[in-house]
Amino acid sequence: LLDLGLSSAVGRYVSRAFGKDDINEINCIINTSLFLFVVLGIVTLLMSFIAAGFSFYFIKSPEEVDLFRKVIVILGVSMAIGFPMRVFGGILTSYLRYDLYAYASMLRLLTANIFIFYFLQKGYGILALALITFFASLLEYIAILIFSMKTFTYLKISSSYLKKDKAMQLFRYSGKSFIAQLANILRFKLDPFVIAGFLNLSLVTYYSVGARLMDYFVQFIMSSIGIMSPVFSQYEGRNDF
């Protein structure tokens, strides 16, 4: 929800600027969106601490409250760092370097799964999972940052590239994208709450297995077709309709 559709807006306008071969505009979009995502990351971090602070309202066991607080803060920090990294991920997709994006994702998956398997065998629990997820995600973020800097060698991070008109341009596009994302959440993410509320909490597990398989299928279709979006934006930047 906190993404506000900005990720799609970054990919769209960086791709268009790339099509125009306008290095200055690319840097303006990147720096402006980076600032916006840093703000969203700070908001995410604050919300995580607030959720951790009020956890005793909906968790009865004192031991579980302490564990929940640690887990939500760890994952909250990871998510907060992840928001600015979306800009650099947007650079890779705009330049159609899905291969590099995939390498970074695979690095995270392999690292996380190897350590999760090892530490679960040793008897560690949820807190260890949260820490492994955090450090594996951090590894992915570093890889994405390095790949994006190698892909767009003219990248410059400077406050001089912050532009109010670019921020308004991003929000005009992201607003529509956000409504679409919100609709998808309402369509596909409310089922577990309905099942838990009207049937039984344990049934959510069985339902989620089937739902996850469907998610994988949808992701496959989106990954197959979604790669064309930055291509179309590049053509638009070249005025090649």
Side-chain angles (χ1 to χ4, degrees):
L1 284 172
L2 281 174
D3 178 86
L4 302 177
L6 281 171
S7 293
S8 59
V10 172
R12 187 257 191 281
Y13 287 113
V14 170
S15 298
R16 193 175 74 166
F18 173 64
K20 293 192 291 186
D21 199 24
D22 190 335
I23 303 301
N24 184 69
E25 186 173 349
I26 294 175
N27 275 310
C28 286
I29 296 293
I30 289 171
N31 280 270
T32 303
S33 57
L34 184 62
F35 172 77
L36 295 173
F37 273 123
V38 166
V39 172
L40 291 175
I42 293 170
V43 171
T44 303
L45 196 60
L46 290 173
M47 289 178 67
S48 300
F49 281 111
I50 291 169
F54 284 93
S55 57
F56 59 87
Y57 278 113
F58 48 91
I59 297 178
K60 295 178 181 179
S61 170
E63 292 180 0
E64 289 185 355
V65 168
D66 184 56
L67 178 62
F68 179 82
R69 283 175 175 169
K70 290 176 182 177
V71 169
I72 200 168
V73 167
I74 291 168
L75 297 181
V77 171
S78 178
M79 191 178 295
I81 298 171
F83 270 113
M85 289 299 109
R86 295 181 184 214
V87 176
F88 301 103
I91 294 173
L92 294 178
T93 56
S94 297
Y95 277 77
L96 307 181
R97 293 310 307 266
Y98 294 102
D99 56 332
L100 297 179
Y101 210 122
Y103 294 150
S105 297
M106 285 191 287
L107 179 64
R108 173 180 57 81
L109 285 169
L110 286 172
T111 304
N113 285 315
I114 289 169
F115 280 99
I116 285 170
F117 180 77
Y118 175 79
F119 281 99
L120 284 182
Q121 277 198 325
K122 294 293 182 180
Y124 290 86
I126 293 294
L127 186 59
L129 289 177
L131 286 169
I132 291 168
T133 301
F134 171 74
F135 285 111
S137 296
L138 206 59
L139 198 61
E140 180 186 25
Y141 298 151
I142 292 169
I144 287 173
L145 181 61
I146 293 170
F147 288 151
S148 64
M149 292 176 72
K150 287 183 177 291
T151 300
F152 180 51
T153 54
Y154 300 101
L155 178 65
K156 293 180 181 178
I157 305 298
S158 171
S159 58
S160 62
Y161 287 107
L162 292 177
K163 303 293 181 183
K164 186 178 179 180
D165 62 318
K166 296 299 179 188
M168 297 305 296
Q169 185 182 46
L170 287 167
F171 277 122
R172 279 195 296 270
Y173 184 87
S174 69
K176 301 180 183 71
S177 183
F178 175 67
I179 292 171
Q181 289 174 10
L182 190 61
N184 279 330
I185 290 172
L186 292 173
R187 284 169 60 201
F188 300 118
K189 303 299 182 184
L190 289 182
D191 298 0
F193 295 99
V194 175
I195 292 168
F198 290 94
L199 296 174
N200 188 292
L201 184 62
S202 63
L203 294 177
V204 172
T205 303
Y206 298 103
Y207 180 85
S208 66
V209 173
R212 181 57 60 90
L213 291 173
M214 288 302 301
D215 281 343
Y216 289 151
F217 177 71
V218 171
Q219 287 173 25
F220 172 75
I221 298 298
M222 293 302 293
S223 297
S224 303
I225 302 170
I227 59 172
M228 296 308 297
S229 296
V231 175
F232 296 147
S233 293
Q234 286 181 22
Y235 282 138
E236 184 197 359
R238 300 187 192 113
N239 287 320
D240 184 356
F241 296 103

